[in-house]
Every structure is written in structure tokens, then in C-alpha cells.
Amino acid sequence: GLPMAWSLAGAPTVVGSIWDVNYDAGTEMMRSFFIELREAGNMGSPARALQQAARRLRCQFSSPYHRGGWILYGAA
């Protein structure tokens, strides 16, 4: 699938959704993910950043449907 294609192209880590997500929730999730990743600096883990971003979204999107469909492929 698509994560494998990115991996073969050289991406060490790919974040994607496993189901269609609401546009606003998806936008906010990725914004939060990159903020968390940037704030962690070189010592940051993409897996930890994704977890923290999902926690941050609980206030805005109470349903797990909006924040639970994200998965990290590759190096954590």
C-alpha cells in the first residue's frame, strides 16, 4: 500500500489514517503532531508525538473516531 511506497522511497516513518477522518479533525491532528514533534527536538519520538497529539485532540473532538484512526508505520 501507500505506506510501503513511502518506505521504499526512503521515508523512515509514515503517519496515516486507517479510515476516513473528518477534515477538521485530520487537519488538527496533523498540526498537533508536528507541533509535538518539533517541541521534542532531536530526542523526540514520532510515536510519542502522535500519542500526545491524540491526547490534545480529546478536548476538541470527544469521539475516539476522530482521533483513533491514526497509525505510525516505520521507525518509532
Side-chain angles (χ1 to χ4, degrees):
L2 192 54
M4 178 61 83
W6 281 106
S7 180
L8 292 173
T13 307
V14 177
V15 175
S17 63
I18 54 176
W19 58 70
D20 287 340
V21 295
N22 172 284
Y23 178 80
D24 293 332
T27 300
E28 187 59 30
M29 182 66 164
M30 289 296 97
R31 187 184 75 74
S32 294
F33 169 71
F34 283 109
I35 287 170
E36 292 291 335
L37 198 57
R38 184 184 65 217
E39 287 177 358
N42 291 336
M43 300 304 290
S45 157
R48 180 86 170 136
L50 190 61
Q51 179 185 37
Q52 291 298 106
R55 283 188 179 153
R56 194 184 274 196
L57 256 64
R58 280 187 195 162
C59 297
Q60 287 180 275
F61 301 95
S62 60
S63 172
Y65 176 81
H66 295 296
R67 64 182 188 278
W70 299 92
I71 192 165
L72 183 97
Y73 300 92

